[in-house]
Amino acid sequence: QQQVKQSPQSLIVQKGGISIINCAYENTAFDYFPWYQQFPGKGPALLIAIRPDVSEKKEGRFTISFNKSAKQFSLHIMDSQPGDSATYFCAASWSGNTGKLIFGQGTTLQVKP
Amino acid sequence: NAGVTQTPKFRILKIGQSMTLQCTQDMNHNYMYWYRQDPGMGLKLIYYSVGAGITDKGEVPNGYNVSRSTTEDFPLRLELAAPSQTSVYFCASSPLGGRLGRNQPQHFGDGTRLSIL
């Protein structure tokens, strides 16, 4: 019930295309869903996050879509660029749990020029 | 601000040796965390701390110990290194929840790559 399942494990997209990464969760107490971006040799960095009171959040080319009834959320990267090539992690957490995050397994994105 | 600083960046240990992974943050964050990252497995929480003097186990604590004597520092100790502890270790910190007690973003260091042979 604490798991967050992420797919696909790897993704190859052409420059200018749309990258879509999906996550699913079981615990309905989760109320914070961040996405982290990680470049080789670096730590994860927060990309964008959403709370379940909205169904979509957009920041530049990055959009989170959230489906509370299906217990799923996804990251969409519009106009994907080679510089977006990285590993992406979804995560989930719930208020009052001291900020502990449950991470998905990660998706390695390669954007081809 | 340097953010979260981890040392060393790389280390090779022999089975049975011990070592301490250092983590310090200069953002005055109350919460600190240790994760390990293994290929295809995401990040797993080892230990966490909600403030100086308070620590608790995460999902995979066996073989590790932590202490939190100051707000800034949160070292992770491996007492008897085993090959299964070969991994990349990340330290992170976050501030207290906001007005509604909601979780705040975690800030990560750049990791310690540890190999145990």
Side-chain angles (χ1 to χ4, degrees):
Chain A
Q1 196 176 17
Q2 298 284 44
Q3 284 186 328
V4 176
K5 296 184 179 180
Q6 182 173 346
S7 63
Q9 186 173 358
S10 63
L11 182 60
I12 299 175
V13 173
Q14 291 294 127
K15 178 182 176 182
I18 302 173
S19 304
I20 302 174
I21 305 171
N22 301 298
C23 284
Y25 64 96
E26 294 289 331
N27 190 343
T28 56
F30 288 148
D31 63 359
Y32 176 63
F33 302 90
W35 284 89
Y36 281 82
Q37 180 187 54
Q38 184 182 31
F39 293 105
K42 296 294 185 181
L46 180 68
L47 184 63
I48 186 173
I50 196 168
R51 301 190 191 273
D53 47 352
V54 296
S55 60
E56 185 175 282
K57 183 174 182 180
K58 184 176 181 179
E59 290 185 3
R61 296 184 293 108
F62 301 92
T63 299
I64 299 179
S65 296
F66 184 80
N67 186 330
K68 189 174 182 178
S69 61
K71 292 185 284 187
Q72 295 175 348
F73 59 109
S74 59
L75 176 69
H76 296 236
I77 305 174
M78 312 299 289
D79 186 26
S80 299
Q81 299 297 312
D84 297 330
S85 298
T87 300
Y88 293 82
F89 293 96
C90 64
S93 183
W94 64 100
S95 299
N97 79 325
T98 65
K100 290 183 290 184
L101 288 171
I102 309 298
F103 281 88
Q105 296 85 347
T107 297
T108 301
L109 171 65
Q110 182 183 357
V111 181
K112 290 193 168 183
Chain B
N1 286 349
V4 178
T5 303
Q6 291 184 239
T7 56
K9 294 189 184 302
F10 304 93
R11 184 72 184 269
I12 298 175
L13 280 182
K14 294 183 179 179
I15 295 172
Q17 287 185 321
S18 61
M19 78 164 292
T20 299
L21 283 66
Q22 302 292 343
C23 174
T24 188
Q25 52 94 5
D26 62 359
M27 297 172 283
N28 201 32
H29 287 170
N30 286 74
Y31 296 161
M32 295 189 75
Y33 313 87
W34 273 106
Y35 295 90
R36 60 176 289 172
Q37 182 179 17
D38 301 299
M41 300 293 289
L43 287 86
K44 301 291 186 183
L45 183 65
I46 305 171
Y47 270 94
Y48 68 99
S49 169
V50 300
I54 306 171
T55 63
D56 206 349
K57 296 178 180 178
E59 187 180 358
V60 290
N62 291 345
Y64 307 95
N65 278 300
V66 293
S67 60
R68 182 97 182 268
S69 57
T70 67
T71 299
E72 295 78 20
D73 300 308
F74 190 40
L76 177 71
R77 178 86 176 160
L78 282 72
E79 290 293 349
L80 290 171
S84 61
Q85 294 177 305
T86 293
S87 188
V88 182
Y89 292 85
F90 288 100
C91 179
S93 71
S94 69
L96 288 172
R99 178 176 60 86
L100 299 178
R102 289 177 163 178
N103 291 328
Q104 301 299 308
Q106 291 188 16
H107 301 257
F108 283 79
D110 284 338
T112 294
R113 284 145 187 82
L114 179 63
S115 294
I116 299 165
L117 306 174

